[in-house]
Amino acid sequence: MGKVFGIDLGTTYSCIAYIDENGKPVVLKNAEGDLTTPSAVFFETQTDVTVGSAAKESAKMYPEQVVTFIKRSIGQSGFSLNLNGIDMKPEEISSYILKKVVKDAEDTLRMEGKLGDDEQIRDVVITCPAYFGVTERDATKAAGVIAGLNVLAIINEPTAAAVAYGLDNEAAQKILVYDLGGGTFDVSIIEIEDGTFTVLATGGDTHLGGDDFDER
């Protein structure tokens, strides 16, 4: 297919998209027919791993074997979770989420006749919170590599939103981007000028999002 795909590896939900032949972004459905996939991983055994809605439901019965909100720990030095006797780092757990969204996207594109049986999605760009440092970004890229992907770039989530907005708004301007997700909150001031996007200021909270609202 020769396209680059964009992946939002979210704290609570993840999704994958690409730009179609008409220059429009298309979010691809997963195997369940949804546009987003819960970022939940169920380690039933050492070899039987489930991702998505089924894993989220399994958390009710097997909470100690289901991992959620792993994005909040990615890049933390020495952090790991023992699952079925195996110590796993956040990037290893995150790779299962990436594999799920990519495989489902491939299946969807094949059903639509847009991807050959021998073709695979390999080139991707993954978004991350603007306040992620080098360690978190490297760990996010590592998750993609573990999933067998060629990670071309790690892009700030607010910057990705600004790029999408600026595609049809070429005038020089400064914009304020609020990225309020299920588990994290970002605010960035971005300047758009001559097709260049510059982040002037940013701030965020890794423990403020929709799930926190639900708990409160």
Side-chain angles (χ1 to χ4, degrees):
M1 194 175 185
K3 288 187 177 294
V4 176
F5 290 75
I7 299 177
D8 175 9
L9 180 60
T11 308
T12 51
Y13 286 88
S14 298
C15 68
I16 183 169
Y18 75 106
I19 303 299
D20 68 10
E21 57 276 6
N22 298 315
K24 299 296 182 182
V26 178
V27 179
L28 295 164
K29 292 183 178 180
N30 60 20
E32 293 73 37
D34 300 319
L35 294 176
T36 57
T37 298
S39 300
V41 188
F42 174 33
F43 293 88
E44 186 171 0
T45 67
Q46 290 186 359
T47 57
D48 191 358
V49 180
T50 304
V51 179
S53 300
K56 187 177 180 180
E57 284 298 312
S58 297
K60 299 174 184 177
M61 294 286 291
Y62 310 99
E64 295 182 355
Q65 292 172 257
V66 177
V67 181
T68 56
F69 299 99
I70 194 61
K71 183 176 177 177
R72 287 177 169 174
S73 302
I74 199 164
Q76 288 187 15
S77 178
F79 182 91
S80 66
L81 292 174
N82 188 277
L83 299 157
N84 296 315
I86 299 176
D87 288 330
M88 300 194 70
K89 296 179 180 179
E91 51 265 43
E92 294 176 306
I93 297 170
S94 297
S95 72
Y96 284 100
I97 301 170
L98 292 172
K99 289 177 184 177
K100 158 76 171 172
V101 297
V102 167
K103 182 183 183 305
D104 287 358
E106 290 174 341
D107 291 343
T108 296
L109 288 170
R110 288 192 182 101
M111 285 191 296
E112 296 175 351
K114 297 178 180 178
L115 191 69
D117 290 340
D118 58 344
E119 291 184 287
Q120 294 179 308
I121 293 173
R122 282 293 171 262
D123 294 336
V124 301
V125 170
I126 303 175
T127 60
C128 75
Y131 52 82
F132 263 22
V134 174
T135 303
E136 291 89 350
R137 293 169 191 271
D138 286 347
T140 301
K141 183 174 182 179
V145 173
I146 294 170
L149 302 171
N150 179 30
V151 183
L152 300 177
I154 302 295
I155 296 181
N156 290 350
E157 290 159 358
T159 303
V163 169
Y165 168 80
L167 290 175
D168 298 318
N169 297 271
E170 297 180 354
Q173 57 192 301
K174 291 184 178 70
I175 62 174
L176 181 64
V177 181
Y178 284 86
D179 178 9
L180 181 57
T184 58
F185 180 43
D186 264 331
V187 180
S188 294
I189 298 175
I190 297 175
E191 183 174 43
I192 303 175
E193 188 171 11
D194 297 328
T196 300
F197 299 82
T198 305
V199 179
L200 303 179
T202 190
D205 191 330
T206 56
H207 291 79
L208 177 62
D211 187 71
D212 301 287
F213 297 163
D214 291 344
E215 287 188 14
R216 181 61 60 89

